[in-house]
């Protein structure tokens, strides 16, 4: 018989039970469910519903249930519909009828919202810490490559030279914002629903602030309808995770490209690449492809939950049970992915010679235009003149730097012999020393900022 079976003459159909039960996945909430119930039992003493002795029995009975879950000895029974009913059923077996007093003034609606908020807070912290590990790896590798030149691309076409540390740190800042978003998501989840009852509040004089404090929430919800009903904290977390996934996917895509032999900038460590069952020479970047692939799921989990929520009438509806697997799945995906990505970055083979060899003089065309600008020419005219020089070099089959001076001067009279000095990759990079630029001097400051962001 279900916990709520009183008004039913017949037991629930087996197929409906299979559809309805959430214990298969929400048992992951056992810690939070038990902590919430212990806080509720203490609050019931204050409300005059439980004697201190009864509350003590319930709290220690729940402690026993916790132990059973921790040691994987908890035995599920057929009527255990979800984690809340399973815990209460077992508690009552352990402590007797007094266990039946625990649910006074409470509903599974405020209970599940409480559990899931707590779980979400912990998950945000875990993912934040794992993102931080990856950031540390990026900082470490950047420290050693502050003057290692590589081609920078826009539209995936060669653009301007940059230093490798600059590329590495570009992902550091994306992940920094991801961590910031997770902190916000965590803090927005830290609002206690318990005491909201099924939807209308509870007649009991429970101290909601005390429960909030005991459980680690920073405040209590102000509207019982809202707090049993909304899952915006889940959506917000899923968004933060999805966007982190997008960043990891882009990191993955770059590493996949740069470790392709046509680029040859990177070589994945043997431990973090995979082979082909057929082609003996293959070395595949599977972890990065999985970063790219899993980001699709993370986005799907967010859009799935938003779609679930959008048409719901006020207060709790069973549709909301669908919130859990989405968040569990996104968290599981990132927990599996992040340690591997961190190791990929730590162990990534870097080939500075190949990166340097991939620099093409055309990538200094902007520097040549800057030369003309330094002579007082408006940039738009300089751009045009250098464009003509690039075309002339291509027509003559020459590298841009080997174009004879008269030809160069044919493109613009302001070109003189010292124009050749523009053809210096190191100088080009050194010149981009604006704050946040790729010049080693600017990158050194960026590294410092990154290190202090890690401490903050
Ligand atoms: N398993 C349910 C969920 O995850 C718990 C809340 C059930 N509430 C109810 N009124 N049926 O949403």
């Amino acid at each position: 018989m279900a916990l709520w079976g009183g008004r039913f003459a017949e037991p629930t159909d087996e197929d409906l039970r299979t559809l309805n039960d959430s214990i298969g996945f929400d048992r992951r909430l056992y810690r939070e469910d038990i902590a919430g119930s212990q806080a509720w039992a203490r609050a019931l003493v204050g409300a005059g519903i439980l004697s201190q002795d009864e509350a003590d029995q319930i709290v220690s009975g729940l402690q026993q249930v916790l132990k059973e879950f921790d040691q994987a000895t908890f035995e599920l029974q057929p009527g255990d519909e979800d984690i809340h009913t399973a815990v209460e059923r077992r508690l009552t077996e352990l402590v007797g009828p007094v266990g039946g007093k625990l649910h006074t003034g409470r509903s599974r609606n405020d209970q599940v919202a409480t559990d899931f908020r707590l779980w979400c807070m912990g998950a945000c912290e875990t993912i934040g810490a794992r993102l931080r590990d990856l950031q540390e790896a990026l900082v470490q590798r950047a420290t050693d490559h502050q003057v290692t030149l590589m081609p920078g691309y826009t539209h995936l076409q060669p653009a301007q030279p940059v230093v490798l540390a600059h590329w590495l740190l570009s992902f550091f800042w994306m992940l920094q914002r991801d961590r910031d978003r997770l902190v916000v998501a965590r803090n927005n989840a830290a609002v206690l629903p318990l005491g909201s009852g099924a939807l209308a509040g509870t007649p009991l004089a429970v101290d909601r602030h005390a429960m909030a404090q005991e459980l680690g929430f920073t405040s209590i919800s102000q509207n019982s309808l809202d707090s049993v009903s909304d899952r915006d904290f889940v959506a917000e977390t899923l968004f933060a995770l999805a966007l982190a996934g997008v960043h990891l996917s882009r990191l993955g895509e770059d590493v996949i490209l740069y470790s392709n032999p046509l680029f040859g900038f990177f070589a994945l460590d043997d431990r973090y690449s995979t082979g082909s069952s057929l082609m003996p020479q293959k070395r595949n970047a599977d972890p990065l492809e999985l970063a790219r692939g899993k980001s699709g799921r993370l986005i799907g989990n967010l859009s799935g939950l938003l779609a679930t929520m959008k048409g719901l009438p006020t207060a709790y509806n069973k549709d909301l049970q669908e919130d859990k697997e989405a968040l569990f799945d996104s968290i599981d995906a990132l927990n599996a992915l992040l340690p591997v990505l961190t190791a990929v970055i730590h162990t990534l083979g870097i080939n500075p010679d190949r990166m340097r060899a991939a620099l093409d003089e055309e990538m200094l065309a902007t520097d040549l235009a800057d030369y003309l600008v330094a002579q007082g020419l408006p940039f738009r005219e300089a751009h045009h003149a250098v464009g003509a020089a690039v075309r002339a070099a291509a027509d003559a089959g020459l590298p841009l730097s080997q174009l004879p001076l008269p030809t160069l001067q044919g493109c613009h009279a302001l070109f003189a012999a010292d124009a050749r000095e523009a053809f210096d990759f190191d100088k080009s990079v050194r010149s981009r020393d604006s704050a946040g630029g790729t010049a080693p001097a600017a990158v050194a400051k960026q590294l410092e900022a990154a290190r202090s962001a890690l401490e903050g």
Side-chain angles (χ1 to χ4, degrees):
M1 192 51 96
L3 242 82
W4 36 261
R7 67 102 60 227
F8 292 83
E10 291 200 64
T12 316
D13 173 81
E14 264 314 301
D15 288 342
L16 170 55
R17 207 179 269 234
T18 306
L19 172 68
N20 204 44
D21 286 2
S22 54
I23 188 69
F25 49 87
D26 68 14
R27 60 178 294 159
R28 288 178 72 160
L29 302 175
Y30 75 85
R31 268 191 213 95
E32 292 74 17
D33 193 72
I34 289 170
S37 286
Q38 290 177 326
W40 185 246
R42 291 187 183 109
L44 288 181
V45 177
I49 298 293
L50 293 180
S51 69
Q52 187 59 52
D53 179 56
E54 288 173 323
D56 290 346
Q57 288 178 53
I58 288 176
V59 168
S60 65
L62 286 167
Q63 208 55 30
Q64 177 60 30
V65 180
L66 176 66
K67 206 162 132 197
E68 292 181 7
F69 271 107
D70 277 343
Q71 299 177 343
T73 57
F74 186 94
E75 281 180 34
L76 279 183
Q77 300 298 330
D80 291 346
E81 179 182 328
D82 53 26
I83 186 60
H84 326 295
T85 51
V87 169
E88 189 182 327
R89 188 265 309 155
R90 182 65 184 136
L91 171 71
T92 308
E93 281 172 11
L94 290 169
V95 303
V98 67
K101 292 192 175 187
L102 174 62
H103 211 55
T104 318
R106 185 177 69 166
S107 157
R108 280 184 294 162
N109 299 351
D110 56 350
Q111 194 179 356
V112 72
T114 302
D115 294 2
F116 205 34
R117 280 179 180 268
L118 267 182
W119 194 90
C120 184
M121 287 154 66
C124 286
E125 286 163 20
T126 307
I127 299 300
R130 289 194 190 277
L131 286 171
R132 191 183 182 285
D133 290 342
L134 177 53
Q135 286 182 294
E136 257 176 12
L138 292 165
V139 163
Q140 265 187 37
R141 300 311 303 265
T143 305
D144 295 333
H145 290 283
Q146 298 180 58
V147 292
T148 306
L149 296 193
M150 70 182 290
Y153 300 90
T154 68
H155 311 261
L156 201 53
Q157 303 296 320
Q160 290 176 341
V162 296
V163 297
L164 179 58
H166 203 48
W167 174 84
L168 287 162
L169 291 177
S170 69
F171 291 99
F172 175 96
W173 297 110
M174 297 178 213
L175 301 182
Q176 182 66 19
R177 294 190 298 276
D178 291 329
R179 280 208 297 140
D180 289 345
R181 270 183 284 272
L182 282 170
V183 169
V184 172
R186 186 230 169 261
N187 292 340
N188 286 341
V191 181
L192 178 84
L194 207 54
S196 297
L199 74 163
T202 178
L204 308 180
V206 285
D207 185 343
R208 297 188 65 210
H209 291 286
M211 287 191 289
Q213 203 179 15
E214 179 180 342
L215 291 168
F217 288 95
T218 47
S219 61
I220 64 169
S221 60
Q222 296 297 326
N223 182 305
S224 60
L225 287 173
D226 171 39
S227 71
V228 294
S229 173
D230 209 342
R231 294 294 182 270
D232 51 1
F233 68 99
V234 187
E236 206 173 340
T237 304
L238 287 174
F239 172 71
L241 300 174
L243 191 49
V246 167
H247 292 149
L248 298 173
S249 176
R250 296 188 70 178
L251 170 65
E253 174 61 12
D254 272 9
V255 176
I256 290 166
L257 268 177
Y258 297 166
S259 59
N260 180 298
L262 287 175
F263 283 79
F265 302 169
F266 298 154
L268 290 183
D269 189 276
D270 275 0
R271 287 165 296 167
Y272 298 106
S273 47
T274 50
S276 155
S277 58
L278 190 148
M279 300 164 282
Q281 86 286 5
K282 283 303 286 291
R283 210 180 154 73
N284 296 331
D286 285 22
L288 302 146
E289 291 166 31
L290 285 168
R292 210 172 47 190
K294 282 184 188 296
S295 71
R297 269 170 77 153
L298 299 178
I299 294 166
N301 288 334
L302 169 64
S303 28
L305 180 75
L306 291 174
T308 295
M309 284 166 56
K310 74 175 269 295
L312 294 185
T314 283
Y316 182 83
N317 297 271
K318 190 72 168 205
D319 317 44
L320 293 173
Q321 180 164 286
E322 297 293 318
D323 60 354
K324 285 167 213 68
E325 285 163 294
L327 186 59
F328 290 155
D329 184 70
S330 290
I331 296 289
D332 289 347
L334 287 170
N335 270 327
L337 185 62
L338 283 166
V340 178
L341 285 187
T342 300
V344 164
I345 296 300
H346 271 303
T347 61
L348 192 63
I350 289 169
N351 191 337
D353 295 339
R354 284 295 296 265
M355 290 191 277
R356 184 137 198 142
L359 295 173
D360 186 286
E361 278 173 356
E362 285 193 0
M363 299 174 73
L364 298 172
T366 319
D367 299 77
L368 201 56
D370 289 345
Y371 167 88
L372 290 177
V373 167
Q375 319 297 311
L377 199 65
F379 177 74
R380 194 45 59 209
E381 284 175 47
H383 186 287
H384 195 80
V386 174
V390 169
R391 188 152 35 86
D395 289 348
L398 288 172
L400 190 54
S401 68
Q402 301 308 312
L403 211 56
L405 186 56
T407 316
L408 211 48
Q409 286 172 326
C411 299
H412 204 284
L414 279 174
F415 277 122
D418 62 351
R420 289 252 154 72
E421 287 166 20
F423 294 104
D424 181 333
F425 295 114
D426 297 281
K427 190 177 137 204
S428 161
V429 161
R430 271 200 310 278
S431 72
R432 302 212 148 66
D433 60 357
S434 55
T438 197
V443 168
K445 286 187 193 143
Q446 185 186 164
L447 253 175
E448 236 172 82
R451 286 200 192 97
S452 57
L454 276 183
E455 298 320 317

